[in-house]
Amino acid sequence: MSAAPPSAPTPPEPVEPPQLLQLGLDDEPCLRADAARNRARLLEAAAGLVAARGADAVTMEEVAAAAGVGKGTVFRRFGDRTGLLMALLDHSEKKLQAAFLNGPPPLGPGAPPAERLRAFGRAALRRTVEDLELQLAAEPDAGRRFTVPPYRVRHHHVALLLRQAVPDADCDVLAHTLLAQLDPALIHHLMHQCGMPPQRLEDAWTDLVDRITGTPA
């Protein structure tokens, strides 16, 4: 009896999933014109208050007054204070997502996975440093921290690159470990309590990626 033919090799996993998790708390193009104007006024007012007084000092009532709308409008649009702060962060998160999913290499597709991981961490760190106070104020509670869409997109992306770079590793868990280095609370501690400059954090990310993937830059 002839031997059974060898099984066909498993096709490689695509670089990016066919459907991406969506970021964003609102789909602005679908809003009515008056609702879109109200949302823009509220975000502009909130951004001005955060810049002037810090995120911790901003209340929904003050945002409503600064935007010239009723308090109920703010709550209907954003749900609560965390929802409002998350909306402020949403635009920059969308830009980062577009850059690492569809932008030019090495952050976007076209570079080796380890190189993309290095670029992703540096870009995410810079964004967190720029929006640090706002990110700390808008950080989800423990029950939602790892299920909100921005984190899920980041985890999916990092795990995908790890599967390409170190396919024998537990990449789902390892992706969480890597992303822990980008946690806003940790970055605040290292920068403001330990006095570490942002460049040291970027260098530490690169070193960690090099050690995990065994492919130094």
Side-chain angles (χ1 to χ4, degrees):
M1 181 180 293
S2 60
S7 59
T10 302
E13 190 166 357
V15 173
E16 300 298 350
Q19 273 198 316
L20 302 177
L21 295 167
Q22 294 300 308
L23 294 181
L25 303 173
D26 289 288
D27 190 3
E28 280 195 75
C30 296
L31 295 176
R32 299 190 319 272
D34 58 339
R37 284 194 296 270
N38 278 343
R39 185 178 190 276
R41 282 206 305 272
L42 287 166
L43 290 176
E44 182 180 355
L49 288 169
V50 169
R53 300 174 49 199
D56 288 341
V58 175
T59 67
M60 301 286 269
E61 292 80 1
E62 290 172 323
V63 171
V69 301
K71 181 174 68 174
T73 301
V74 189
F75 283 96
R76 283 193 300 272
R77 173 56 55 201
F78 301 108
D80 56 17
R81 182 174 175 278
T82 297
L84 172 62
L85 297 177
M86 288 297 293
L88 284 174
L89 290 170
D90 189 56
H91 180 63
S92 59
E93 185 68 27
K94 282 180 177 177
K95 288 198 299 182
L96 177 63
Q97 182 194 21
F100 69 70
L101 292 175
N102 302 305
L107 182 55
E115 191 174 346
R116 293 191 67 193
L117 279 170
R118 296 185 199 102
F120 168 78
R122 290 193 295 266
L125 277 164
R126 289 167 190 164
R127 176 185 175 262
T128 299
V129 169
E130 290 173 1
D131 296 328
L132 185 55
E133 184 180 357
L134 196 53
Q135 289 208 31
L136 289 170
E139 196 163 48
D141 59 44
R144 298 189 301 128
R145 183 168 300 173
F146 304 108
T147 60
V148 292
Y151 185 88
R152 291 169 59 207
V153 172
R154 290 184 178 205
H155 178 269
H156 189 90
H157 177 67
V158 171
L160 247 173
L161 294 178
L162 285 169
R163 288 190 189 103
Q164 297 171 37
V166 282
D168 57 337
D170 186 341
C171 296
D172 282 334
V173 174
L174 190 55
H176 286 297
T177 303
L178 269 173
L179 288 170
Q181 192 165 339
L182 305 177
D183 181 70
L186 176 61
I187 292 171
H188 178 271
H189 168 69
L190 294 176
M191 289 181 56
H192 297 286
Q193 295 177 308
C194 300
M196 295 185 187
Q199 185 60 53
R200 182 174 174 183
L201 304 185
E202 292 187 31
D203 292 343
W205 170 271
T206 299
D207 180 63
L208 182 58
V209 170
D210 292 350
R211 292 174 187 274
I212 288 173
T213 62
T215 54

